Amino acid sequence: MHGSPFPILGLSGGIAAGKSFVAGKLAARGWAVVDADGLAREAVLPGSEGLSALVAAFGPSCLRPDGALDRAWLAAHVFSDDAARARLNAILHPRIEALLAGRLAGLPADTRGAVLDAALWVERGKAHHFDAFWTVDAPEALRLQRLQARDGISREAALARLRAQATPPERALHADLVIPNDGRDLAGILAGAEAALLANWKVRRARTWRTPMPAPFSADQLRDVLATLLSRGGDYGEAFVERRRAHALGMDDGRMEDVLASETFGASLRLVDGETTRFADLIAPTFEELTDAARTLAAPGTGAAAEVPALVLKTHPTPSPVERDPGRVALSEKVALVRRAEALARTEAEALRPGALKQVSVGYGDSTQRVWIAAAESRDGAWSGALTEDHRTQVVLRANVTAGDGTQLQTGYQALGETRGFELFTDEAVAHTVREAARLAVQALDAQPAPAGTFPVVLCSSAGGTMIHEACGHGLEADLALAGMSAFAGKLGQKVAAEGVTIIDDGTLPHKRGSQAIDDEGNPVSRVVLIENGVLKAYLQSRKTSRKMNAEPTGNGRRESYRHLPIPRMRNTFLAAGGEAPEAILRDLDRGLLVKRMGGGQVDTVTGNFVFQVTEGYWVENGEPKYPVKNATLSGCGPEVLKGLTRIGSDLHHFDIGTCGKDGQGVPVSDALPTILCPALVVGGTAEPLPSVI
């Protein structure tokens, strides 16, 4: 796909949003449109190998009397059965992709561009595989009307089909363009977007499908290392090679106190033999040293030598193209960024409350990591081998502002960070970050002590998904579930949350802090639906846990560095958007707490009990924020919170960033939620307790 001489546009949209209508508009502008739904029909024509595979999987009941596929029968079974849907996708998707490749290869080289029209690019984790990705949206009421009229189904059945797909706010997170197909004239929108795409698609493609970096070891050398590692038996062997460069600057009260730079090169070997794992890590190894370490790990084995096949490097597109590699940005420019942010924070704080500013601290960091992962695995008596690589870039700017009034000190904190290059730090983005830090510090001086009691709590989208990550997400990691250290252990297929609650972990979100092309075991990243409409659907899997649970790896095997073993970890975890207007949720709150920003906290993954700090909150009466509060905490039980959610907003847009710690390892993550109403949380505060509403 990325070798085509013309741009490739991925086009998607929910059922009945009108993506086929938009595809027709693009066809009229000279684009070649390839309809994936049409290819799906072609893949199962009477007499085809694809139709035979469907009959073998679903039985002869899926056929009409004339021998063709009974699509109505199949839809009725698939939309209500996750396992059946997975079987269908496993049969159809490879065949559709083969047909798709054939269609693209058959297009003339002077084609204006190709539109790949499919409903499930986001759900399949493929939205970042194109030169641009557009999605078509329309109001839900209009989509329901169209779907009922088109397919002659009830409103409930139409809603079920809509709920089986990603929500419009989630698709928008992936999209370069959201096309509003609500009856307006689209000519101007399409013309402008088309011009921009035609002007820059080659640059975008080069950044997305990056040229592989020269590896410290050749493919043949890595194969020899794996052969040595598995020379005395084993089920799985792996070599993980890493180069990393990092820079950090720290300014405190106008003084540049930290200027740090580091470069590391290392490798690790892992041998899995039944339930036994043997591991070694080496600093800056030569090929001979790596081979010696492989021989040492292999020595206790008593099995037959593996037949490791030749390794061919496979590249994967990144969801986070980089424009300015921070490793190539001059130190003077980074220093200037920190000084500019520090000066702006001082100016903003002084403007808000003259004389209140006590301290400003600004920190900058960047990390460029390159990894190469060679692996050999035995399944069903046959050996396979893989060699993958990834280039990951992280940048972050942090601002701490402390204000005081003679009796107290209050701090405001904000961070700006993504899997992006130095281009992230625009004047607008930097100004917004430091102004928010200054605002939070000064506003906290006027905040009143939070009341204590059990109250309804509205969590805004701006609060980030700390609760989802800590109180729920860790319990959905497969190693904790296997160990019985999760409130969700043993509950696959069971109702664990309220209807409408869907929790997703997605490593393909563009530029989010937990996104990358592959995980640290070489598996392509994916979108994993953990809880769907209240039902537990999956855990986050590493290669090791997936073998134990007879599941597929989900691309969540992550490690801090070559010195660590990979374990199941979250990436970008969020509660999917609902259909309610956020302002309506707040308006209906008679008395309770509005939380706009969350801080750190603690959680017990076995029970799901949590305690979190509130860094920006407001006491609410009759739907109106009355005053800001300070020293507030939230306590509750994550699984119980999920069961009690009754109102979920449509405003999924803000992802908090952080470094998640587990088993002594830290990895970059992000999390989010829409505005939600938690009917009853324990609010801890230093004011006199108020009578609880609950």
Side-chain angles (χ1 to χ4, degrees):
M1 186 182 298
H2 60 284
S4 66
F6 44 77
I8 304 294
L9 170 63
L11 182 67
S12 191
I15 294 177
K19 64 179 177 58
S20 297
F21 172 76
V22 172
K25 294 285 187 182
L26 290 167
R29 301 183 69 88
W31 287 69
V33 175
V34 182
D35 178 10
D37 293 334
L39 295 182
R41 289 188 289 272
E42 184 176 337
V44 293
L45 287 173
S48 68
E49 185 270 338
L51 184 60
S52 298
L54 285 183
V55 172
F58 296 98
S61 297
C62 70
L63 296 178
R64 298 196 316 238
D66 62 1
L69 179 65
D70 188 336
R71 296 185 175 278
W73 183 95
L74 191 63
H77 285 73
V78 165
F79 277 109
S80 60
D81 186 333
D82 293 320
R85 189 167 28 172
R87 290 200 305 273
L88 176 65
N89 291 338
I91 293 169
L92 285 183
H93 289 167
R95 292 167 174 82
I96 293 172
E97 290 180 2
L99 290 170
L100 178 59
R103 292 291 189 279
L104 290 176
L107 292 175
D110 60 353
T111 298
R112 185 174 184 82
V115 179
L116 306 188
D117 174 5
L120 302 179
W121 291 131
V122 168
E123 290 85 342
R124 295 179 57 200
K126 301 284 189 180
H128 61 296
H129 284 229
F130 311 106
D131 300 318
F133 179 67
W134 298 355
T135 182
V136 183
D137 192 17
E140 183 175 277
L142 181 57
R143 293 172 61 200
L144 286 171
Q145 179 183 341
R146 291 171 178 170
L147 185 55
Q148 289 180 256
R150 187 190 74 186
D151 292 358
I153 57 178
S154 67
R155 187 177 187 278
E156 291 71 24
L159 271 173
R161 294 194 184 183
L162 262 62
R163 298 291 184 262
Q165 294 185 326
T167 62
E170 183 187 350
R171 278 193 295 270
L173 293 171
H174 293 265
D176 299 294
L177 173 69
V178 177
I179 301 170
N181 185 30
D182 53 5
R184 73 185 71 184
D185 185 4
L186 301 179
I189 295 174
L190 295 178
E194 179 193 47
L197 172 56
L198 293 175
N200 72 2
W201 68 271
K202 291 182 179 179
V203 174
R204 169 75 177 267
R205 179 180 292 180
R207 291 172 180 159
T208 300
W209 297 88
R210 299 156 301 190
T211 302
M213 301 297 297
F217 307 104
S218 69
D220 288 340
Q221 286 178 317
L222 291 172
R223 179 194 174 279
D224 289 344
V225 169
L226 293 178
T228 302
L229 184 65
L230 294 162
S231 60
R232 296 177 63 85
D235 305 310
Y236 175 77
E238 172 192 270
F240 180 90
V241 184
E242 174 188 20
R243 285 192 187 277
R244 188 194 297 262
R245 285 186 174 184
H247 302 86
L249 304 175
M251 176 174 276
D252 192 1
D253 271 348
R255 299 183 304 275
M256 191 68 73
E257 297 195 342
D258 298 306
V259 180
L260 306 174
S262 65
E263 183 167 355
T264 58
F265 164 49
S268 63
L269 298 174
R270 179 167 54 136
L271 172 61
V272 179
D273 189 358
E275 293 297 311
T276 301
T277 297
R278 299 195 283 276
F279 180 79
D281 63 273
L282 303 91
I283 301 174
T286 64
F287 170 65
E288 290 74 19
E289 291 169 335
L290 204 59
T291 303
D292 286 344
R295 191 173 295 112
T296 300
L297 290 181
T302 58
E307 298 179 2
V308 180
L311 302 180
V312 178
L313 180 65
K314 183 175 183 179
T315 59
H316 297 273
T318 177
S320 304
V322 169
E323 295 179 23
R324 295 191 66 196
D325 184 344
R328 298 183 178 180
V329 175
L331 176 61
S332 59
E333 190 171 353
K334 298 174 183 178
V335 170
L337 167 65
V338 173
R339 291 190 183 280
R340 184 169 84 248
E342 200 265 356
L344 183 56
R346 289 184 174 277
T347 300
E348 183 69 16
E350 186 66 19
L352 290 171
R353 183 171 297 189
L357 180 66
K358 301 303 179 185
Q359 186 179 31
V360 175
S361 298
V362 176
Y364 164 87
D366 65 55
S367 170
T368 302
Q369 181 198 36
R370 297 184 176 96
V371 300
W372 299 265
I373 305 167
E377 184 173 23
S378 174
R379 282 189 181 270
D380 300 323
W383 281 93
S384 62
L387 175 59
T388 53
E389 64 94 31
D390 198 6
H391 181 183
R392 304 158 181 174
T393 302
Q394 296 272 353
V395 293
V396 66
L397 181 72
R398 299 182 174 92
N400 274 286
V401 177
T402 302
D405 60 7
T407 62
Q408 61 175 324
L409 293 175
Q410 297 291 341
T411 299
Y413 169 80
Q414 281 290 282
L416 172 65
E418 289 189 345
T419 50
R420 203 186 287 267
F422 204 76
E423 70 274 5
L424 175 64
F425 303 116
T426 63
D427 290 345
E428 180 181 3
V430 172
H432 176 76
T433 300
V434 298
R435 284 171 179 161
E436 278 295 283
R439 181 187 69 81
L440 290 171
V442 172
Q443 176 179 280
L445 295 176
D446 297 325
Q448 300 181 32
T454 301
F455 306 109
V457 175
V458 171
L459 290 177
C460 287
S461 179
S462 60
T466 301
M467 182 178 293
I468 298 300
H469 176 100
E470 295 289 357
C472 307
H474 279 298
L476 297 168
E477 292 167 337
D479 54 346
L480 296 180
L482 281 167
M485 298 177 62
S486 164
F488 299 103
K491 295 184 178 179
L492 278 176
Q494 297 181 26
K495 197 81 169 179
V496 296
E499 188 72 24
V501 171
T502 295
I503 295 179
I504 296 167
D505 184 83
D506 192 345
T508 74
L509 287 172
H511 300 295
K512 294 296 181 281
R513 186 165 161 83
S515 296
Q516 50 202 48
I518 57 175
D519 72 357
D520 292 319
E521 298 180 296
N523 299 303
V525 292
S526 64
R527 172 186 182 267
V528 185
V529 179
L530 298 164
I531 296 173
E532 184 176 44
N533 287 324
V535 178
L536 180 60
K537 297 293 187 178
Y539 299 114
L540 300 177
Q541 302 281 359
S542 66
R543 188 178 297 272
K544 180 179 179 180
T545 60
S546 67
R547 276 177 168 261
K548 289 185 175 182
M549 300 186 78
N550 194 28
E552 290 297 318
T554 56
N556 289 85
R558 305 185 67 191
R559 61 182 109 198
E560 181 178 323
S561 74
Y562 70 91
R563 296 178 176 176
H564 302 84
L565 280 166
I567 53 178
R569 305 297 298 273
M570 285 174 278
R571 300 160 304 185
N572 309 299
T573 313
F574 60 95
L575 174 67
E580 292 215 48
E583 56 272 17
I585 297 176
L586 176 60
R587 187 170 56 242
D588 292 342
L589 180 61
D590 291 332
R591 188 178 66 150
L593 193 68
L594 169 66
V595 177
K596 288 195 172 183
R597 298 189 191 278
M598 296 274 282
Q602 296 178 332
V603 64
D604 180 345
T605 60
V606 177
T607 63
N609 292 331
F610 62 81
V611 179
F612 296 130
Q613 296 175 334
V614 176
T615 56
E616 183 182 9
Y618 301 84
W619 183 250
V620 174
E621 293 180 4
N622 299 319
E624 292 289 339
K626 292 300 182 182
Y627 55 84
V629 300
K630 59 185 176 183
N631 302 325
T633 62
L634 298 179
S635 302
C637 174
E640 293 305 314
V641 169
L642 294 184
K643 292 176 182 177
L645 290 184
T646 56
R647 306 191 68 176
I648 303 175
S650 59
D651 55 337
L652 183 69
H653 54 76
H654 174 78
F655 279 74
D656 262 0
I657 66 171
T659 299
C660 175
K662 176 181 173 183
D663 290 358
Q665 300 188 44
V667 295
V669 296
S670 72
D671 45 59
L673 49 68
T675 296
I676 60 173
L677 171 65
C678 302
L681 288 180
V682 176
V683 177
T686 56
E688 289 294 322
L690 291 177
S692 296
V693 175
I694 307 305

